[in-house]
Amino acid sequence: MSVDLVGFLGVVLVAYVVPGPDFLVVVRSATEHPAKGRAAALGAQTGLCVHMLAAAVGLSLIAARSPAVYDTIKLLGAAYLVYLGVRAVLAARRAARERAAGREAAGGPEDGADPRTPVEDGPARGRWRSGFTQGFLTNVLNPKAALFFLSILPQFVDGGGSASRQIFFLGTLDIIIGVAYWFALVAVAARLRAFLARPKVRHRWELTTGWMFIAIGIGVAAAA
């Protein structure tokens, strides 16, 4: 089996560095808790495994040639991104109201919380499940991920060998690189947790990422 590994690695690295919905999900999860960030990263890469296997057996080709299937997947992905965004915005506003009510009742400081306290996100099992599910659905409902395996990977495949085997090899390499990249990103993003634990900063972060999810989702739906 002979593949253009140098060219392939260059394309993969560029694809990961350019921020997308999975980037936003992993970073946002990591700032809530490192374990949730790692779970989101593994979920995102598991979603890519689905696309890789589908491409290897030709299912992605069927979806790509059927506008109805492609548009359905795209709209489902867009709806999920909007859902994540709306949930984040509502949570930020609800937390702001609760802090305001608490300050009025107790007459405490403006921020109403110790900025050194990191943000927790429920029990460990719940954090992992939530992060993994968000990462998985974000990528598995992203038709662009399917098209990457269907259209980009074959460009680096040697025509003299088994296309399915080479796509599987390159896809596996892509996923391994992605796990390493996401885990490094999680380590960096997790260092922001103490800073983001400050209520005012947390409020702005939740609103910003929430509206970004909504904007990306609307953009995806508009392009359908």
Side-chain angles (χ1 to χ4, degrees), residues 41 52 55 67 75 81 84 88 103 126 132 134 138 151-152 171-172 187 189 193 196 217 220-221 224:
M52 176 187 67
L75 291 174
L81 292 175
L84 291 179
R103 287 196 300 269
F132 185 89
Q134 290 182 21
T138 297
S151 60
I152 303 299
T172 301
R193 291 181 67 222
L196 289 173
V220 170

Side-chain angles (χ1 to χ4, degrees), residues 49-61:
C49 286
V50 174
H51 291 303
M52 176 187 67
L53 293 175
V57 300
L59 295 180
S60 291
L61 183 61

Side-chain angles (χ1 to χ4, degrees), residues 37-93:
R38 289 189 290 270
L42 293 175
Q45 297 310 97
T46 303
L48 290 184
C49 286
V50 174
H51 291 303
M52 176 187 67
L53 293 175
V57 300
L59 295 180
S60 291
L61 183 61
I62 298 175
R65 289 183 175 177
S66 173
V69 173
Y70 181 85
D71 288 343
T72 299
I73 295 174
K74 179 179 287 188
L75 291 174
L76 286 174
Y80 184 68
L81 292 175
V82 171
Y83 162 75
L84 291 179
V86 170
R87 192 174 68 170
V89 171
L90 292 178
R93 293 179 174 174

